[in-house]
Amino acid sequence: MGIRIVGTGSYLPEKVLTNKDLEKIVDTSDEWIVSRTGIRERRICSDKQAASDLGIKAAQRALEDANVKVEDIDLLIVATITPDMFFPSTACIIQTKLGIKGAAIFDLNAACAGFIYSLSTAQQFLQMETYKTALVIATETLSKITDWEDRNTCVLLGDGAGAAVLKKEKGDSGILSCYLDADGQYGDLLNMPAGGSRLPATVDTVKNRLHYLKMKGNETFRIGVPEMVNSVKRGLEGCGLKIEDVTLLIPHQANIRIIKAIAKRLSISIDKVFVNIDKCANTSAATVPIALDQANRQGRIKQGDIIELVAFGAGFTWGSCVIKW
Ligand code: ACO
């Protein structure tokens, strides 16, 4: 039996924030942002939208694409670093609104690698007799934890959600291998310092702007590139394939320079790498499933194709997933 992705969906909020708009907010330029990151615009959710709202829309599209009913879902995993609140989980909030019953439901925090970690987790569940259909969502409202006074980070981030429905089916297609890894010693390079039990919210934490995403971009870049290259190779090793076998590589969208560096080091043509960072920016866990859904709907994925997903993010966490479509 194969664990197959039988449907994908995504949702991007309506509001578009361009680089020109950002020029009015911080000391930056369209030229700097495009040349250093490849980003031209990003989507921003409304004040009323939380992560669950975006996730529900992506999930509904994935369920429709898969022709699967909510009654059939027996596992729901939501990858996010911007949950609606600490608890209950965003997964439970989505469960109620979608009407899912009798399922295992939880959030998973692996930052930008969250969708890959969630797919791998769903694969393990579906290998058990009792689980047959899984819904995996990655949803982020990074604009809510963005410091709009920090030009180092605010130009990089966006909001959005992606989802996939997985089923156990006969045949040799489906997830061929997953590779996961992490190294917590780098936690300080990319984090949101306050709001947890280490630094609960106080007047001072708010004054000191500690409830926002902080990143040492240079060091993250330096570690991210080799770990993503290694992840792609380890994923392929796990199923006995080579880079030449990959029809489409879908990497985390953090920076076009990172994506190009990975493609070069792997000797894979950039034409075989999916890129949407110009329009969507970095939506953390949601980048990979949004890109997967766009590739799927654009007809860039055909039955039998070998797709590899790869991501790297806070933690640091990283990993890859090889899929025969
Ligand atoms: N506009 C204009 N100038 C800027 C801006 C901006 N928006 N941001 C920074 N600069 C300036 C800096 O202040 C610095 O100026 P200085 O030399 O006078 O000090 C100069 O530009 C160069 O800054 P660097 O940080 O060295 O720029 P770099 O080329 O490294 O690009 C970037 C920065 C885009 C952040 C890059 O390092 C990067 O993409 N890093 C990796 C991000 C990533 O992979 N994140 C992973 C996951 S994200 C997540 O988990 C949510």
Side-chain angles (χ1 to χ4, degrees):
M1 298 290 269
I3 312 295
R4 288 192 59 218
I5 293 182
V6 293
T8 62
S10 62
Y11 169 75
L12 295 170
E14 274 167 36
K15 185 180 168 192
V16 176
L17 186 73
T18 65
N19 292 348
K20 285 276 168 210
D21 296 329
L22 278 168
E23 285 179 2
K24 294 175 203 142
I25 303 173
V26 286
D27 179 16
T28 191
S29 66
D30 175 56
E31 194 279 325
W32 191 96
I33 303 170
V34 173
S35 63
R36 297 290 183 112
T37 71
I39 300 165
R40 292 179 186 277
E41 59 186 48
R42 68 287 293 141
R43 298 301 183 97
I44 305 290
C45 64
S46 73
D47 292 347
K48 290 197 178 117
Q49 283 179 311
S52 65
D53 302 314
L54 276 56
I56 285 167
K57 286 193 158 58
Q60 284 167 333
R61 290 172 186 175
L63 289 165
E64 197 185 321
D65 186 43
N67 203 14
V68 161
K69 295 194 175 61
V70 284
E71 299 88 272
D72 298 329
I73 296 166
D74 35 33
L75 171 69
L76 168 62
I77 307 176
V78 175
T80 185
I81 56 164
T82 49
D84 287 24
M85 55 188 84
F86 259 171
F87 62 88
S89 67
T90 302
C92 279
I93 295 168
I94 292 178
Q95 168 196 12
T96 313
K97 291 189 181 160
L98 281 180
I100 298 169
K101 293 209 171 79
I105 311 273
F106 57 93
D107 282 3
L108 191 150
N109 179 341
C112 302
F115 186 71
I116 311 262
Y117 265 71
S118 300
L119 273 189
S120 177
T121 306
Q123 182 198 18
Q124 316 296 317
F125 269 84
L126 292 174
Q127 277 164 358
M128 290 189 272
E129 185 58 37
T130 32
Y131 293 88
K132 293 183 172 61
T133 310
L135 173 60
V136 174
I137 304 170
T139 180
E140 300 287 14
T141 51
L142 294 180
S143 63
K144 312 257 182 169
I145 60 161
T146 296
D147 185 346
W148 294 103
E149 292 181 10
D150 176 15
R151 68 174 185 176
N152 290 293
T153 52
C154 75
V155 303
L156 306 171
L157 311 170
D159 299 334
V165 178
L166 288 91
K167 274 184 97 156
K168 205 163 7 195
E169 286 189 352
K170 283 198 182 119
D172 66 348
S173 53
I175 296 176
L176 302 180
S177 81
C178 288
Y179 164 73
L180 306 178
D181 200 353
D183 192 341
Q185 70 168 308
Y186 299 116
D188 290 343
L189 297 182
L190 178 51
N191 66 8
M192 188 174 85
S197 55
R198 180 68 58 198
L199 270 182
T202 62
V203 172
D204 278 346
T205 61
V206 174
K207 261 195 211 152
N208 293 327
R209 311 187 76 77
L210 299 179
H211 295 271
Y212 294 124
L213 180 150
K214 313 273 178 199
M215 179 169 68
K216 297 208 170 70
N218 257 326
E219 288 152 81
T220 307
F221 194 117
R222 193 173 47 77
I223 300 162
V225 171
E227 288 305 353
M228 280 172 78
V229 169
N230 183 44
S231 294
V232 171
K233 290 182 180 166
R234 294 287 296 267
L236 291 169
E237 274 164 30
C239 54
L241 293 177
K242 296 197 171 63
I243 193 73
E244 300 81 62
D245 299 316
V246 175
T247 327
L248 189 65
L249 180 67
I250 301 184
H252 175 48
Q253 312 279 313
N255 188 321
I256 190 67
R257 284 153 55 214
I258 295 181
I259 295 172
K260 284 184 176 163
I262 296 167
K264 195 171 170 208
R265 289 195 194 185
L266 288 166
S267 302
I268 184 170
S269 157
I270 197 76
D271 303 341
K272 292 170 92 180
V273 182
F274 193 87
V275 177
N276 66 6
I277 190 166
D278 52 329
K279 297 248 180 254
C280 302
N282 181 350
T283 56
S284 190
T287 64
V288 170
I290 291 171
L292 178 67
D293 180 52
Q294 290 180 347
N296 191 19
R297 284 169 199 262
Q298 288 166 16
R300 285 191 67 179
I301 308 180
K302 306 214 162 36
Q303 207 177 340
D305 280 357
I306 300 294
I307 312 300
E308 184 159 16
L309 316 176
V310 61
F312 176 88
F316 287 145
T317 53
W318 59 88
S320 66
C321 184
V322 183
I323 302 160
K324 183 172 180 188
W325 205 259

